């Protein structure tokens, strides 16, 4: 409890004061997307469809960002060549 | 001192629309509902005629109207909406969100009985229902005050210490649809008085002070999940903010007096005849006019009666109330909303609680009146005073809560 701030120390209006870069929110998925780069045709449909920006384009290929991926499976579902498989998390 | 003002024949709703027109409001979104409709109808006329530069967004429901205002206000805009009764009920979820996001939206609530049974006439069940939503609530007595209070409301809500939404209420039909001579200030005077909304700044660790608005240059997340570790702290901040509204309401009432020549008591309560009164009535809204009329008449006949009009209900002016009434022997509290299973109506409960710690205090009775627009003529108020005078003589209360004018 001690590191939590008091009501005078935090901004009003319930706005966040920490960047989401610091708070990883991807720890509750059950299945994670795994991209088969050999099948991928780089259409970027998964990239634009991911509600969490957890598919990223690194200039050469699409990559999964498991720090923020929620495991919803939308990317796998929209991929026209079925290059994404949802794999059970360990 | 005050400037020359134009006298216009306006009903309460039109008076509100005029105030909004002059307050340089950036954004209005609303959904029509009787008896509020005239406000947005009139305002959309101003928009259509190019008399204002306001972004006017007609929506499909009140839930969306207030949501749209939240979006606009979070961008830094000055936003206004208006509603009544079931419209306010449909907004419910968003009413609390607006205050928790600390957005100084101004909303006119034209008091109307909540369904059911379905009814379109005045009582205070709608706004009293959200008395604990962390909105400032000001109840007006007539069209003039509705106009004046909307102008004040922007200043109060946008004050850096406050940053809360403000609800300005006017009694359905009794004020909203009743034509009155309303003094309208010159446009520039109002514009100067309200100024331009300046967003407050918040301190973000590692980023310094940044404006509390949605701004791509200084991104902020509004409305994220806030669980047991911080929700409570944010709610305490809201408590603090509405407490800080007390001096602001007083100050704005005074400042407004300087430009208009009009003020409403100390901003919180307005009294008549209390100095030597043995009995008094506490009332809010348009009925205050009837009560004042009867009190004057009775005083002419030698009865020591007085009255207190509660103007600001949130924050509740408990100190002012106690100071004004501690010497009185019997007080009747008029509540225009039901109190099913409660100790009494909301104004009654607050009044009694305010007096609990006092040694000197009056007997306090509760009168529920005017539900669903039931008429409250002077004869009814006379009966209340007669009963209060009897209580002040005998010190005996037969029944704490009574329903006025019920067959
Ligand atoms: S599973 Fe959902 S959240 Fe994760 S990368 Fe795919 S679309 Fe994004
Ligand atoms: S949708 Fe499929 S093919 Fe298209 S970029 Fe994503 S993984 Fe590759």
């Amino acid at each position: 409890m001690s590191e939590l701030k008091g009501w005078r120390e935090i901004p009003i209006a319930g706005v966040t004061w920490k960047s989401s870069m610091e708070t990883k929110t991807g720890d509750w998925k059950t299945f994670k997307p795994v991209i088969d780069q050999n099948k991928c045709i780089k259409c970027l449909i998964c990239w634009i469809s991911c509600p969490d920006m957890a598919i990223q384009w690194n200039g050469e290929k699409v990559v999964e960002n498991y720090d923020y991926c929620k495991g919803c499976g939308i990317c796998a579902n929209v991929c026209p060549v079925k290059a994404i498989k949802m794999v059970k998390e360990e | 001192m005050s400037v020359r003002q134009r006298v216009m024949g306006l009903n309460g709703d039109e008076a509100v629309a005029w105030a909004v027109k002059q307050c340089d409001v950036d954004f209005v979104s609303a959904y029509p509902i009787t008896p509020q409709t005239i406000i947005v109808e009139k305002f959309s006329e101003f928009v259509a005629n190019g008399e204002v530069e306001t972004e006017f967004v007609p929506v499909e429901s009140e839930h969306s109207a207030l949501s749209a205002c939240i979006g606009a206000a979070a961008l830094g805009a000055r936003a206004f909406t208006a509603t009544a009764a079931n419209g306010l009920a449909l907004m419910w979820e968003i009413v609390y969100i607006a205050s928790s996001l600390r957005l100084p939206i101004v909303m006119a609530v034209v008091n109307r009985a909540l369904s059911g049974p379905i009814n379109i006439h005045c009582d205070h069940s709608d706004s009293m229902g959200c008395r604990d939503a962390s909105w400032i609530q000001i109840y007006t007595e007539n069209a003039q005050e509705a106009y004046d209070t909307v102008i004040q409301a922007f200043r109060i809500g946008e004050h850096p210490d406050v940053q809360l939404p403000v609800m300005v209420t006017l009694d359905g039909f009794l004020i909203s649809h009743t034509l009155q001579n309303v003094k309208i200030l010159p446009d520039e005077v109002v514009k100067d008085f309200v100024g331009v909304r300046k967003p407050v700044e918040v301190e973000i660790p590692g980023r310094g002070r940044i404006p509390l608005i949605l701004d791509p240059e200084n991104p902020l997340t509004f409305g994220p999940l806030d669980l047991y570790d911080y929700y409570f702290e944010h709610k305490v901040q809201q408590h603090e903010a509405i407490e800080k509204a007390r001096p602001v309401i007083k100050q704005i009432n005074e400042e407004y007096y300087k430009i208009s020549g009009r003020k409403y008591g100390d901003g919180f309560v307005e009294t008549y005849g209390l100095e030597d009164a043995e009995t008094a009535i506490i009332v809010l809204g348009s009925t205050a006019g009837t009560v004042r009329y009867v009190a004057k008449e009775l005083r002419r006949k030698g009865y020591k009666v007085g009255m207190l009009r509660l103007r600001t209900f949130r924050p509740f002016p408990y100190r002012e109330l106690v100071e004004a009434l501690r010497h009185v022997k019997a007080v009747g509290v008029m509540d225009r909303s039901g109190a099913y299973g409660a100790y009494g109506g909301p104004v009654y409960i607050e009044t009694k609680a305010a007096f609990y710690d006092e040694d000197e205090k009056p007997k306090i009775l509760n009168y529920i009146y005017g539900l669903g627009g039931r008429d409250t003529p002077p004869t009814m108020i006379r009966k209340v005073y007669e009963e209060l005078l009897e209580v002040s003589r005998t010190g005996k209360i037969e029944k704490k809560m009574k329903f006025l004018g019920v067959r």
Side-chain angles (χ1 to χ4, degrees), chain B residues 242-299:
Chain B
I242 203 157
E243 281 307 317
K244 283 189 169 170
R246 292 179 191 277
V248 175
I249 292 167
K250 280 203 164 95
Q251 175 206 325
I252 302 296
N253 185 50
E254 289 299 328
E255 279 185 38
Y256 191 76
Y257 174 68
K258 287 193 189 116
I259 60 160
S260 68
R262 287 184 296 279
K263 67 166 159 184
Y264 299 97
D266 57 359
F268 286 96
V269 299
E270 221 182 10
T271 62
Y272 169 72
L274 282 185
E275 301 71 32
D276 62 346
E278 282 168 9
T279 68
I281 288 177
I282 300 179
V283 63
L284 28 76
S286 62
T287 313
T290 317
V291 173
R292 198 181 293 105
Y293 169 79
V294 174
K296 275 186 186 167
E297 182 190 84
L298 289 174
R299 286 186 74 86

Side-chain angles (χ1 to χ4, degrees), chain A residues 35-37 39-47 55 57 62 75 78-84:
Chain A
I35 303 169
D36 181 342
Q37 298 292 351
K39 277 196 192 169
C40 173
I41 55 167
K42 302 181 186 351
C43 69
L44 295 189
I45 293 176
C46 58
W47 170 80
I55 301 273
W57 175 248
V62 283
C75 51
V78 294
C79 175
V81 295
K82 303 267 169 277
I84 305 181

Side-chain angles (χ1 to χ4, degrees), chain B residues 154-222:
Chain B
F154 288 106
R155 286 284 307 278
I156 297 167
E158 292 171 14
H159 192 284
D161 293 346
V162 182
Q163 296 290 305
L164 283 175
V166 184
M167 204 176 282
V168 176
T169 81
L170 49 155
D171 285 349
F173 293 100
L174 300 165
I175 304 176
S176 67
H177 285 59
T178 307
L179 208 65
Q180 199 193 322
N181 279 341
V182 178
K183 286 187 182 164
I184 300 287
L185 288 160
D187 291 349
E188 332 70 77
V189 172
V190 178
K191 212 174 162 182
D192 280 356
F193 183 79
V194 294
V196 175
R197 182 183 158 203
K198 284 183 210 70
V200 292
E201 290 185 337
V202 285
E203 179 75 33
I204 304 288
R207 295 168 66 188
R209 295 186 71 75
I210 61 169
L212 183 63
I213 50 169
L214 289 171
D215 170 14
E217 300 295 314
N218 287 299
L220 273 179
T221 302
F222 277 73

Side-chain angles (χ1 to χ4, degrees), chain A residues 5 7 10 12-16, chain B residues 100-101 221 224 230 234 237 240:
Chain A
K5 295 172 190 293
W7 65 269
I10 56 174
I12 61 166
V15 292
T16 45
Chain B
S100 77
L101 293 179
T221 302
Y230 280 110
H234 288 124
Q237 289 177 334
E240 168 88 352

Side-chain angles (χ1 to χ4, degrees), chain A residues 33 50-52 54-55 69-75 86:
Chain A
C50 170
D52 232 311
I55 301 273
C69 166
K70 305 294 183 297
C72 69
I74 289 174
C75 51
M86 297 304 289

